[in-house]
Amino acid sequence: MPYSRILLDKEQLSRIVSRLGAEISSQFRSEDNCMALVVLEGAKTFANDLLAKVDFPVDIETITASSYSGANSTGNVMIEKTGTLGEKIQGRNILLIDDIYDTGLTLSRILDWLKTLQPNSIQTCVLLEKEIEHAKQIDIDFIGTTIEDVFAIGYGLDFEGQYRDLPCIGELSEERSQQYNAAPKT
Ligand code: IMP
Ligand code: MG
């Protein structure tokens, strides 16, 4: 087993996503010009399920961010986006969707970039908030739930590219994380 215990099972995830979908819909329903900006790769599964639940028209765009090496944030956030995304932001009501609010470095980098592009509004949604002192404090508008400071896998969240396909979210096993730490790095 790659995880030592289940943090959120399939049913719990489904309930959380339905609640968030309803909350977001009630805020965005009266707006037009909405754009969901999904932070890949981790938020893909969550965002797919979430956006299937909302009842307002929304364009979906993606941005790729990465900062993790194994189970540690490198703090060095890399952002990749398509060349034309920047031109589509002006005047839009943006819903930024990420998987986890951990150190906050990723979201803060993306938010800083978004603000320069003059959207009409920006709201943020994360599935999970880790109960830690965040390096960057961010006001998240929609939070699924909080988790302890453990490394989570499944439902889109990976450890070294693996386990995104698990239907639940679990805590990465000590054994699996040690195997990684013991392996020679190239
Ligand atoms: P932050 O920049 O430290 O807030 O981290 C944000 C990104 O790191 C998230 O979007 C995730 O993709 C990844 N991340 C943070 N914690 C975890 C975890 O426990 N499991 C898997 N990915 C994580
Ligand atoms: Mg991410």
Side-chain angles (χ1 to χ4, degrees), residues 39-43 63-68 97-100 106 110 157-158 164:
V39 185
L40 300 180
E41 297 287 329
I63 187 167
T64 302
S66 51
S67 65
Y68 263 69
I97 304 175
D98 204 357
D99 49 6
I100 300 198
T106 306
I110 297 173
L157 297 168
D158 76 306
R164 293 194 199 279

Side-chain angles (χ1 to χ4, degrees), residues 80 98 173:
E80 284 169 51
D98 204 357
S173 70

Side-chain angles (χ1 to χ4, degrees), residues 7-8 13 16 46 98-102 125-130 143-147 152 157 169:
L7 299 168
L8 294 163
L13 285 167
I16 289 170
F46 167 51
D98 204 357
D99 49 6
I100 300 198
Y101 173 25
D102 184 14
C125 172
V126 296
L127 175 62
L128 305 171
E129 174 178 6
K130 276 197 195 170
I143 298 177
T145 188
T146 57
I147 59 164
L157 297 168
I169 293 184

Side-chain angles (χ1 to χ4, degrees), residues 1-19:
M1 270 299 188
Y3 54 86
S4 49
R5 66 187 165 120
I6 292 180
L7 299 168
L8 294 163
D9 64 25
K10 230 174 137 174
E11 284 69 36
Q12 288 170 308
L13 285 167
S14 160
R15 274 198 296 277
I16 289 170
V17 170
S18 298
R19 176 183 50 80

Side-chain angles (χ1 to χ4, degrees), residues 63 79 94 96 104-117 119 122-124 137-141:
I63 187 167
I79 294 181
I94 308 285
L96 180 62
L105 292 167
T106 306
L107 284 172
S108 105
R109 270 285 311 272
I110 297 173
L111 286 166
D112 286 349
W113 171 73
L114 277 177
K115 283 173 196 158
T116 64
L117 300 168
I122 308 175
Q123 306 226 41
T124 46
Q137 206 56 46
I138 298 168
D139 268 329
I140 310 273
D141 300 280

